[in-house]
Amino acid sequence: MFPSSSSSSPIVYSLTLFLSLLFLFLFSPRIIPHGNRHRERLISVQDELDDLRLFREAVSTATARGGSSKISHLGTINPKPKIAFLFLTNSDLVFAPLWQRFFESSNDDLFNVYVHADPATKIATPEWLIKANFIPAKATARASPTLISAARRLMANAIIDDPFNMYFALVSQHCIPLHSFKFVYTSLLGNPSSAHKAFLTQGSLKSYIEILSEAPFLHNRYVARGDGSLLPEIPFDKFRVGSQFFVLAKRHALLVLRERKLWRKFKVPCLDLDSCYPEEHYFPTFLSIADPKGSSHYTLTIVNWTDSVDGHPHTYHSPEISPDLIHMLRKSNTSSSYSYFFARKFSPDCLKPLMEIADDVIFRD
Ligand SMILES: *[C@@H]1O[C@H](CO)[C@@H](O)[C@H](O)[C@H]1NC(C)=O
Ligand SMILES: *[C@@H]1O[C@H](CO)[C@@H](O)[C@H](O)[C@H]1NC(C)=O
């Protein structure tokens, strides 16, 4: 830091020491956490190792099974690709009856359901949610990288569990479906009778994830862990933002599970908690670097940000539920060429009015 010369004096050494400490303090929040709030948010070494092992297993399982060519030799008669629904939750799955109806609208066995439920909250197990598969979960918290970990854990478990999972749809307990399962499946993978072709074309299946290069307070979000904390991997012009909820093709889910470099940066706790939404940055930033043409850049999950408060979107309540609302929510804002599949955020009292219009409105498409 300082040229050594014969004029070096104790003052220079003290100054060097002081500057070094200052540097550590400013740029190494992991070494010197700023208070307990941040220390709590660190992901423990054990959790990190557990995850690494899990992700490696998922990647090697997928690799060992081989790609499209080997999948037809697995012994399953007429295999079809499936959609894995990944529920990320820290409270009861109050809309399970609606999702149940959604899944029942499909006769074929074309989906799987995985749930990551925060172990800190006691969640009533909806045994009637078809095939709900509760994966080993760890604590999650807002404004922390734990939501990235939970999403990756869900994808890894789904990949290990069923080689036919081709798409991975992340939803929360506040999400609802806006269409029938058949509509969603056909839009993603084509008509079920010919969907097996997707195994051959999986190298080109698109992911549906929002990737935006402009957003309010984007720079605050970029420096939420301190100035330069994402460098050199992510200069500001490569930093992206997008909805937490996505539908990833398997090839991209595997890329995300292999990813280490950006994770090392994004797992660092934020200094500015008001600008800390790691899960809305990590996936869009990584995929826009790794495969910008492979993603839609828009989300299939609509959310109403009008009059949002403290980073929370508008939450719908039962008086607002109507067939018109469903039709309005389906319509994409940016282009008429696609329809939203899912919507959030809904309060538990919406279940009853939603069930009342489920068959005649939501699942009629
Ligand atoms: C639709 O687009 C307009 C203009 O771009 C924007 O102000 C509005 O918030 C959007 N609505 C939704 C529900 O995204
Ligand atoms: C979005 O939320 C606002 C209130 O925050 C509400 O007035 C508006 O109707 C909502 N838009 C839609 C499409 O539901």
Side-chain angles (χ1 to χ4, degrees), residues 10 31 42 54 58 118 163 182 193 195 207 214 285 310 329 343 347 352:
I31 298 173
L42 287 175
L54 175 69
D118 190 322
K182 189 164 179 247
S193 62
S207 285
E214 280 171 33
T285 299
D310 188 27
L329 290 173
S347 72
K352 196 164 169 278

Side-chain angles (χ1 to χ4, degrees), residues 182-199:
K182 189 164 179 247
F183 179 95
V184 169
Y185 187 91
T186 307
S187 306
L188 291 174
L189 288 158
N191 195 300
S193 62
S194 53
H196 58 273
K197 288 183 194 141
F199 289 129

Side-chain angles (χ1 to χ4, degrees), residues 304-307 314 316 320 325 328-329:
N304 182 349
W305 287 110
T306 315
D307 305 327
H314 174 69
Y316 290 98
E320 292 171 274
L325 179 71
M328 216 149 60
L329 290 173

Side-chain angles (χ1 to χ4, degrees), residues 19 43 51 62 64 92 95 101 106 204 217 249 288 327 329 338 357:
L19 286 175
I43 292 171
D51 281 348
D92 287 349
F95 295 113
R101 190 87 55 97
S106 150
S204 59
F217 309 110
S288 88
H327 292 134
L329 290 173
Y338 73 97
I357 59 170

Side-chain angles (χ1 to χ4, degrees), residues 182-365:
K182 189 164 179 247
F183 179 95
V184 169
Y185 187 91
T186 307
S187 306
L188 291 174
L189 288 158
N191 195 300
S193 62
S194 53
H196 58 273
K197 288 183 194 141
F199 289 129
L200 302 172
T201 57
Q202 59 176 298
S204 59
L205 285 184
K206 194 156 89 171
S207 285
Y208 297 85
I209 176 170
E210 189 173 48
I211 300 177
L212 305 172
S213 54
E214 280 171 33
F217 309 110
L218 192 64
H219 194 262
N220 293 10
R221 289 162 162 241
Y222 179 64
V223 297
R225 292 161 202 82
D227 266 335
S229 56
L230 297 180
L231 292 173
E233 289 84 356
I234 314 153
F236 181 56
D237 66 357
K238 292 233 168 87
F239 186 64
R240 296 290 183 271
V241 61
S243 161
Q244 178 188 357
F245 301 97
F246 52 62
V247 179
L248 289 195
K250 184 172 186 172
R251 62 193 178 119
H252 292 138
L254 286 168
L255 280 186
V256 164
L257 294 180
R258 282 198 176 99
E259 203 289 311
R260 305 268 180 275
K261 245 183 4 197
L262 269 56
W263 168 244
R264 274 212 306 276
K265 296 295 174 95
F266 279 97
K267 75 178 179 182
V268 173
C270 296
L271 303 174
D272 172 8
L273 290 185
D274 293 334
S275 304
C276 191
Y277 302 95
E279 74 285 0
E280 292 184 1
H281 303 142
Y282 173 75
F283 297 102
T285 299
F286 171 59
L287 285 173
S288 88
I289 292 171
D291 187 10
K293 294 214 177 86
S295 299
S296 64
H297 293 233
Y298 58 78
T299 178
L300 295 173
T301 303
I302 189 171
V303 54
N304 182 349
W305 287 110
T306 315
D307 305 327
S308 79
V309 180
D310 188 27
H312 291 286
H314 174 69
T315 300
Y316 290 98
H317 289 276
S318 60
E320 292 171 274
I321 304 300
S322 70
D324 280 351
L325 179 71
I326 300 297
H327 292 134
M328 216 149 60
L329 290 173
R330 282 176 177 174
K331 275 204 194 94
S332 95
N333 209 2
T334 47
S335 125
S336 52
S337 61
Y338 73 97
S339 171
Y340 286 109
F341 290 3
F342 316 112
R344 62 187 269 268
K345 183 174 181 177
F346 291 81
S347 72
D349 60 304
C350 295
L351 177 63
K352 196 164 169 278
L354 284 170
M355 290 302 283
E356 281 164 14
I357 59 170
D359 291 337
D360 291 342
V361 179
I362 305 177
F363 302 135
R364 169 171 295 178
D365 42 37

